[in-house]
Amino acid sequence: MSKHHQCLSKKDAGTELSVRYLLETLKRRRVWVLAGILLLEAAAAGWQMRLPDQYRAELLVVAETMGGPEALDRFRTPDDAQRALGAIGERLLRRSVLADIMREYRLYEPELGGFSEQQLTEMRNRITVQVQGTQTVAIGFKDTSPRRAAQVANHLGQILVTGQGGGARRQAQWTIAGLEAELAAAERNLESQEQKLQALSSRTNSELAVLRARRANLESALRDIDSELEQERRVARAADTGTAMQSAEGRLAALRTQFRELLSRYTIAHPEVVAVQQEMAALEKETAGHERQTGRTLRGLRSRQARLQEELATVNQQLAPYQSERGDTSLQAAINRGTAATEALSPAEAQLVREYDAAVAQRQRLVEELQMARLGERFGVGTGAVLTIAEAAVTPIQPVSPRRLRILAMGLVAGLCCGLGAGLAREHLDTTFRDLEDFRAASDAPVLLAIPTIVPPRRNGVPLGVAPNVVTITNPASVESEQYRILAHAVSRRLAAAPSTTVMVTSAAGAEGKSTTAINLGVALSQSLEGPVLLVDADVRKPHLHAYLHLPLEKGLSELLSNADADLWEYIHRQGNLYVLTGGARQSVPGGSLLRTSLERLLGRLRRRFACIVIDSPPVLPMVDSHVLERLVDGTLFVVRARTTRRELVQRAFESFDTTKLLGVVLNDVSFVAAPYAYAYRYYSERYLVSATSEESVHDKN
């Protein structure tokens, strides 16, 4: 079985993602790319067709001064004037103004409680207010009706120029009054937040004072314990060096010496020995009691010291969150530095600080809006500035949206990307062989030749006598015919030692071009060899050679196998220099050992009459016939169709029959257009083939 695996072993040949690879993939998978383009382009076209045309009408409003240019000198920079014009333009976005316009022109259907916030937001998005320079405001409105767009834009301009409900001054005064009321409420809210912060700060300071007092008491108690420990150590040292202790230890040493002397003269029960022993015990007990008393005192003081130190550490941990890096409390630090310093606070304290910061921000925003409103009031009325319509809105002709060409272009780009992505994915999942290099990168099996895609010749209605793909007969000067001649030369060279050679042409499955290869190989061998060449259609279950060569099917191999002693020449047809044995009309043949015996006898008779026999056998995987034939032939050609045969089929086919007789692989139907060596074939077609065709035309005329 190892020899089978040697014939087709996968190699780690990764596909390099290059420009050439992308272009080849784009060409091979053009159907996928075109499908992606057409699909997304159709979706984009359908979507943009459903979008209604939007028209925008625009008018210009200019701020003219009655007191000359110096009337606007209070706006020291162009930004001040632009902010003032922006404040004027914001009058148009008020809810009351929008509601009146929406109701008058029936732009939206009001709900039970009036227009919704969503409708008002959509209306604001349709209005554009653009400040141009220091004295001009452009007002625009977008609508599906060009006439209504112009009407609404002019209406907005009139509202901006004349004001609403009593003139611009009254409108500005209402705006300022509303902002002042909101600012007063914001200041009250800010004052309430400050009071809460002060109360929390006072409570925090009280807790801080209690903790600090407790820490001071603990530190004082620790100092007292340290003093007591030092005093006990001094007492112990003094007791160890005192006269009483020294006399007791001296007396004890003398008694021990006397005890040893008495034991040398008396027994242990002697009265003098017993008396000395009792006195020694009393002195030892007195000395040990003193030492134990001193140790208990020191241990008690040290234990108390440890408890106080632990309590002090706990108090310090409780004090830590109250202190900031600058020495303030954490609450004060959060107030000073903002919400970024609230990590050390409790959730309640952090929430209070955030509410305080929000109140400060709200007050600042209202102050700025009030300043802008007062600035707009002065600019619009108080300075003598008059707003006039410089250019009224006209009915637009061209829509501004949707931009249909842009949508279609985006659909084209998206479709190209999706189609190319799908093509690359399909290419990555494709396990077929693209060309000769691809097969060699994936297989160790010998490759004899790559046959290009056969292009049928044009004969202007003149019958060819055979099928167009038999190019060795119909178009002998073509590139494909030359490749079959090279294949015939390679086969005859490999089997040159045998007096009569038998070559089987097979494939893994059907529709891979083995019959075409067998016919053209037989024709090429008949033209190059001296002896006769026989082409046998062994695919008796589904014969093809008779159709390609336009031969009768009545008598063929199936009938000859049933009548082995019959005359061979009654079943063999001649096609030029090539002899052909068709498959026969019978669709059933003997099987198993009987088929092998019949074929062996028949091939023995044929070998004696022909120099070379080319057998077109059935595919390897579906039927047993090829497995019987492989043991009777001298060599096997394995045909693989490019971009059709999968690697798994080739691997399975090589594993199922004896590959020791494998002459090589013929890669069929290869596209030479994008191959690196395509120049050689183009050169042959342009130089040699054109010349041969011209000579043939001259010969036909003669």
Side-chain angles (χ1 to χ4, degrees):
M1 185 61 71
S2 60
K3 58 186 178 183
H4 297 155
H5 290 285
Q6 290 174 358
C7 290
L8 187 68
S9 61
K10 293 293 184 66
K11 298 182 179 179
D12 295 332
T15 301
E16 182 182 358
L17 187 62
S18 59
V19 176
R20 177 186 169 190
Y21 174 74
L22 291 176
L23 293 177
E24 291 178 357
T25 302
L26 183 63
K27 182 179 180 180
R28 283 193 299 269
R29 307 299 178 183
R30 55 185 176 272
V31 175
W32 290 79
V33 177
L34 290 176
I37 293 175
L38 292 177
L39 182 62
L40 288 186
E41 189 69 8
W47 180 55
Q48 62 92 15
M49 289 180 62
R50 294 181 61 184
L51 295 176
D53 290 334
Q54 296 286 338
Y55 298 87
R56 183 171 63 190
E58 192 174 83
L59 69 119
L60 294 179
V61 177
V62 178
E64 298 178 350
T65 58
M66 294 183 298
E70 63 278 0
L72 297 175
D73 287 344
R74 67 182 65 192
F75 306 109
R76 299 178 181 179
T77 63
D79 292 340
D80 294 336
Q82 289 183 353
R83 284 195 297 271
L85 290 174
I88 295 173
E90 289 179 357
R91 299 176 186 172
L92 303 177
L93 304 180
R94 292 173 58 86
R95 184 186 184 95
S96 58
V97 175
L98 296 178
D100 291 343
I101 295 177
M102 293 162 65
R103 189 177 296 107
E104 180 176 351
Y105 292 95
R106 297 181 179 179
L107 298 176
Y108 295 93
E109 290 295 331
E111 298 178 358
L112 295 178
F115 294 102
S116 63
E117 289 296 330
Q118 181 179 357
Q119 292 174 335
L120 292 171
T121 301
E122 292 178 0
M123 183 65 181
R124 291 189 181 98
N125 293 333
R126 296 168 65 178
I127 298 174
T128 57
V129 179
Q130 297 179 348
V131 179
Q132 301 177 353
T134 59
Q135 292 182 308
T136 306
V137 180
I139 308 298
F141 183 74
K142 187 165 61 174
D143 193 79
T144 55
S145 171
R147 180 180 179 183
R148 187 167 58 186
Q151 292 176 348
V152 175
N154 289 322
H155 192 165
L156 291 171
Q158 291 296 328
I159 293 175
L160 188 62
V161 171
T162 62
Q164 185 179 10
R169 179 185 296 276
R170 182 180 304 173
Q171 185 68 37
Q173 290 176 352
W174 286 349
T175 302
I176 292 172
L179 290 174
E180 287 177 345
E182 293 183 14
L183 180 60
E187 288 180 345
R188 288 193 298 271
N189 182 33
L190 181 60
E191 183 179 358
S192 174
Q193 296 296 330
E194 289 177 348
Q195 291 176 358
K196 292 180 181 179
L197 282 175
Q198 289 177 358
L200 181 59
S201 179
S202 299
R203 186 166 63 253
T204 301
N205 291 334
S206 299
E207 295 176 356
L208 183 61
V210 172
L211 289 175
R212 286 175 176 171
R214 186 178 177 188
R215 183 176 64 180
N217 293 334
L218 291 173
E219 290 175 348
S220 177
L222 283 172
R223 287 193 296 270
D224 293 342
I225 289 177
D226 290 340
S227 299
E228 292 181 14
L229 283 172
E230 184 62 28
Q231 183 177 358
E232 286 295 331
R233 292 190 188 98
R234 287 197 298 270
V235 170
R237 286 195 296 271
D240 292 339
T241 58
T243 304
M245 195 67 182
Q246 289 179 356
S247 61
E249 292 179 353
R251 176 62 179 164
L252 184 58
L255 288 174
R256 289 172 179 165
T257 303
Q258 184 181 357
F259 179 72
R260 287 193 295 270
E261 292 177 354
L262 290 174
L263 283 178
S264 64
R265 292 183 294 176
Y266 307 107
T267 63
I268 192 65
H270 194 276
E272 292 184 10
V273 176
V274 173
V276 171
Q277 189 177 9
Q278 291 177 353
E279 187 175 357
M280 284 172 57
L283 286 174
E284 289 175 353
K285 183 177 181 180
E286 180 180 354
T287 305
H290 179 72
E291 292 177 352
R292 285 197 298 272
Q293 181 62 32
T294 303
R296 282 196 297 271
T297 303
L298 291 175
R299 285 196 296 273
L301 289 174
R302 290 194 183 97
S303 177
R304 184 180 175 191
Q305 183 186 35
R307 289 197 301 271
L308 291 176
Q309 287 176 347
E310 292 178 359
E311 189 174 355
L312 180 61
T314 302
V315 172
N316 287 331
Q317 291 178 357
Q318 294 175 354
L319 279 171
Y322 288 92
Q323 293 298 120
S324 66
E325 296 177 357
R326 303 183 304 170
D328 300 332
T329 64
S330 296
L331 180 61
Q332 188 63 36
I335 296 172
N336 295 334
R337 289 182 284 173
T339 56
T342 60
E343 291 84 357
L345 301 179
S346 64
E349 294 174 344
Q351 179 64 25
L352 190 58
V353 171
R354 285 193 290 268
E355 292 177 355
Y356 174 78
D357 291 339
V360 172
Q362 182 185 12
R363 179 184 179 279
Q364 182 64 27
R365 179 180 60 80
L366 290 173
V367 168
E368 293 176 357
E369 291 182 2
L370 184 59
Q371 290 175 352
M372 289 296 300
R374 289 172 177 169
L375 189 67
E377 181 191 19
R378 291 195 301 270
F379 185 80
V381 180
T383 62
V386 178
L387 297 177
T388 59
I389 297 178
E391 183 178 342
V394 297
T395 302
I397 300 176
Q398 297 293 334
V400 295
S401 66
R403 298 183 179 181
R404 305 187 186 279
L405 291 179
R406 177 180 295 183
I407 295 175
L408 293 177
M410 292 175 62
L412 178 63
V413 173
L416 179 61
C417 294
C418 292
L420 186 58
L424 288 174
R426 183 67 182 87
E427 187 75 10
H428 180 71
L429 297 175
D430 186 11
T431 60
T432 60
F433 302 99
R434 295 189 298 271
D435 49 28
L436 200 62
E437 288 73 19
D438 191 16
F439 187 89
R440 285 173 175 168
S443 172
D444 289 334
V447 182
L448 292 182
L449 202 64
I451 305 298
T453 302
I454 295 177
V455 179
R458 297 180 180 179
R459 289 299 179 95
N460 298 324
V462 178
L464 300 174
V466 294
N469 55 351
V470 188
V471 290
T472 50
I473 297 177
T474 60
N475 195 8
S478 63
V479 174
E480 299 84 353
S481 298
E482 288 298 324
Q483 299 306 304
Y484 283 117
R485 294 188 187 100
I486 296 173
L487 177 62
H489 176 72
V491 171
S492 61
R493 186 181 59 187
R494 288 176 181 260
L495 300 176
S500 177
T501 59
T502 306
V503 180
M504 181 180 73
V505 181
T506 187
S507 61
E512 298 192 24
K514 63 176 181 59
S515 298
T516 301
T517 303
I519 295 174
N520 287 284
L521 175 62
V523 174
L525 286 172
S526 67
Q527 296 171 355
S528 61
L529 296 180
E530 295 181 358
V533 177
L534 175 65
L535 176 62
V536 179
D537 190 352
D539 192 357
V540 294
R541 304 174 193 269
K542 193 176 181 181
H544 291 88
L545 296 187
H546 68 285
Y548 288 121
L549 299 175
H550 297 175
L551 297 174
L553 188 63
E554 286 76 14
K555 291 184 178 182
L557 178 62
S558 59
E559 288 79 9
L560 191 57
L561 289 175
S562 301
N563 188 10
D565 297 328
D567 185 10
L568 294 176
W569 301 109
E570 295 182 4
Y571 297 87
I572 295 177
H573 307 273
R574 185 171 182 175
Q575 183 76 26
N577 295 327
L578 179 67
Y579 295 88
V580 181
L581 177 60
T582 62
R586 295 180 60 183
Q587 302 297 315
S588 61
V589 295
S593 60
L594 182 59
L595 173 62
R596 179 178 178 181
T597 303
S598 301
L599 284 174
E600 190 173 5
R601 290 180 56 191
L602 177 60
L603 287 178
R605 296 178 62 190
L606 295 175
R607 285 177 190 270
R608 292 191 293 269
R609 289 172 174 79
F610 296 95
C612 182
I613 302 173
V614 179
I615 301 176
D616 179 20
S617 73
V620 173
L621 293 179
M623 287 176 283
V624 72
D625 300 0
S626 296
H627 300 274
V628 175
L629 281 169
E630 68 173 343
R631 302 181 181 275
L632 305 177
V633 299
D634 300 315
T636 302
L637 284 180
F638 196 87
V639 179
V640 175
R641 182 181 289 275
R643 304 181 304 276
T644 302
T645 309
R646 296 184 177 275
R647 302 167 193 243
E648 300 82 2
L649 292 178
V650 178
Q651 177 70 32
R652 182 70 184 88
F654 281 178
E655 291 175 352
S656 64
F657 77 100
D658 186 5
T659 56
T660 57
K661 294 184 179 181
L662 181 66
L663 299 177
V665 175
V666 177
L667 193 61
N668 186 38
D669 196 17
V670 179
S671 176
F672 283 174
V673 177
Y677 42 81
Y679 169 75
Y681 299 100
R682 287 197 300 269
Y683 184 84
Y684 173 82
S685 300
E686 294 171 359
R687 301 297 177 92
Y688 296 95
L689 183 58
V690 172
S691 177
T693 305
S694 301
E695 293 178 359
E696 183 181 354
S697 299
V698 172
H699 178 73
D700 292 339
K701 290 180 180 180
N702 293 333

